[in-house]
Amino acid sequence: MSGSWQYAQEECGGLDKSHENYFLDIFFLQKKNKSAIIFSVGICGSHCNLLFVFCKIMGDNMFEVGDYIVYGSNGVCEVKSVGPIDCPGASTDKLYYTLRPLYIRDSSVFTPVDNDKVIMRGVMTKAEAEAFVDGIGDIDALTIQDERKRELEYKKTVNTCDPVELIRMIKTISDRMSQRQSEGKKMTAADMKYIHIAEESLCGELAISLNMDKDEVRSYIATKVDEAVHIA
């Protein structure tokens, strides 16, 4: 305790002996442009949600309230709050994001800010989104050697939440769709399922980045891409 308290005094400044009576725990996390030193205080020995946050410039890893992020299979989410949560099983010495998935109605997601088990990244900026769309023509389709592993490759691609990989998969399925149509065949169930997932994920993110709705994103991509890429 004494070592952590001394560190807090040295790093934060403005703390005097009166604060030490409330000092329970200290931990570190990366905050956008800051390395935050956060400690909780107790009232009558019970843990409460009040946090003192003292920051110094450093790092670029933590999201803030109002940010839009991609969170795994939930797609684009808005960060509604950052802090401890009162939920069964939630750790009292961790901060959590409360997320609102934009394309899943009446849903909330709670996740530790240091969760490294689920893809969690900021959405593309407008400039990044425009450059990405302009470069779609240069992205190659997936190469799938073993047809028995096609659906597995699709699933792995979706789980990356990577726009480039999603376009690669969309191109692959678009090519297969054209080939099967020329042979009088229908799309396979797996192709239909995964191209839909990829399109929804991709257009959902681009809609936020470009300040458009999904239909406008599809039209925008169509004006930028010469080849036949199924975004419908």
Side-chain angles (χ1 to χ4, degrees):
M1 174 70 76
S2 60
S4 295
W5 172 246
Q6 181 179 358
Y7 188 92
Q9 285 181 307
E10 292 173 354
E11 292 293 326
C12 300
L15 301 181
D16 57 37
K17 193 68 176 178
S18 65
H19 293 103
E20 187 173 9
N21 296 328
Y22 299 101
F23 187 76
L24 293 181
D25 191 21
I26 186 168
F27 59 98
F28 306 92
L29 70 151
Q30 292 298 312
K31 183 175 173 61
K32 188 170 287 187
N33 296 322
K34 299 178 176 69
S35 178
I37 301 168
I38 300 181
F39 63 90
S40 357
V41 303
I43 298 177
C44 299
S46 63
H47 192 83
C48 74
N49 289 339
L50 181 60
L51 294 176
F52 289 106
V53 182
F54 300 86
C55 302
K56 62 179 181 179
I57 301 301
M58 186 178 166
D60 188 21
N61 292 325
M62 188 172 168
F63 302 110
E64 299 177 340
V65 173
D67 284 349
Y68 290 102
I69 69 172
V70 173
Y71 182 73
S73 62
N74 291 276
V76 179
C77 300
E78 180 185 3
V79 180
K80 300 299 291 183
S81 67
V82 184
I85 58 174
D86 184 15
C87 289
S91 177
T92 57
D93 63 351
K94 277 192 173 185
L95 293 187
Y96 291 77
Y97 294 125
T98 298
L99 306 176
R100 179 180 69 88
L102 297 192
Y103 305 112
I104 305 175
R105 293 183 60 184
D106 303 321
S107 177
S108 294
V109 177
F110 306 97
T111 183
V113 299
D114 59 354
N115 187 351
D116 59 1
K117 296 179 180 179
V118 179
I119 297 294
M120 184 162 47
R121 62 171 176 81
V123 300
M124 289 181 276
T125 65
K126 182 178 181 180
E128 288 169 344
E130 290 172 342
F132 168 76
V133 173
D134 287 340
I136 284 177
D138 297 325
I139 298 174
D140 294 327
L142 293 174
T143 300
I144 299 176
Q145 303 291 349
D146 189 344
E147 281 296 319
R148 294 171 298 178
K149 296 182 179 179
R150 177 171 293 276
E151 188 166 356
L152 178 61
E153 291 299 318
Y154 288 167
K155 185 174 182 179
K156 286 167 57 178
T157 299
V158 166
N159 288 341
T160 67
C161 300
D162 183 333
V164 171
E165 293 303 309
L166 293 177
I167 283 292
R168 295 185 70 203
M169 187 174 76
I170 289 170
K171 286 189 173 186
T172 298
I173 297 176
S174 293
D175 290 344
R176 272 172 56 85
M177 181 173 64
S178 297
Q179 180 181 345
R180 290 181 69 85
Q181 284 178 341
S182 69
E183 298 170 352
K185 298 178 181 178
K186 296 180 179 180
M187 287 182 70
T188 66
D191 283 350
M192 191 176 300
K193 172 184 175 180
Y194 283 99
I195 198 170
H196 175 74
I197 292 172
E199 289 170 353
E200 286 297 305
S201 178
L202 185 65
C203 292
E205 178 174 0
L206 290 173
I208 298 302
S209 301
L210 298 171
N211 193 27
M212 300 177 179
D213 62 33
K214 288 183 181 180
D215 288 339
E216 289 175 321
V217 168
R218 293 180 175 97
S219 298
Y220 176 72
I221 291 176
T223 65
K224 295 284 187 175
V225 180
D226 292 331
E227 60 189 297
V229 178
H230 185 270
I231 304 285

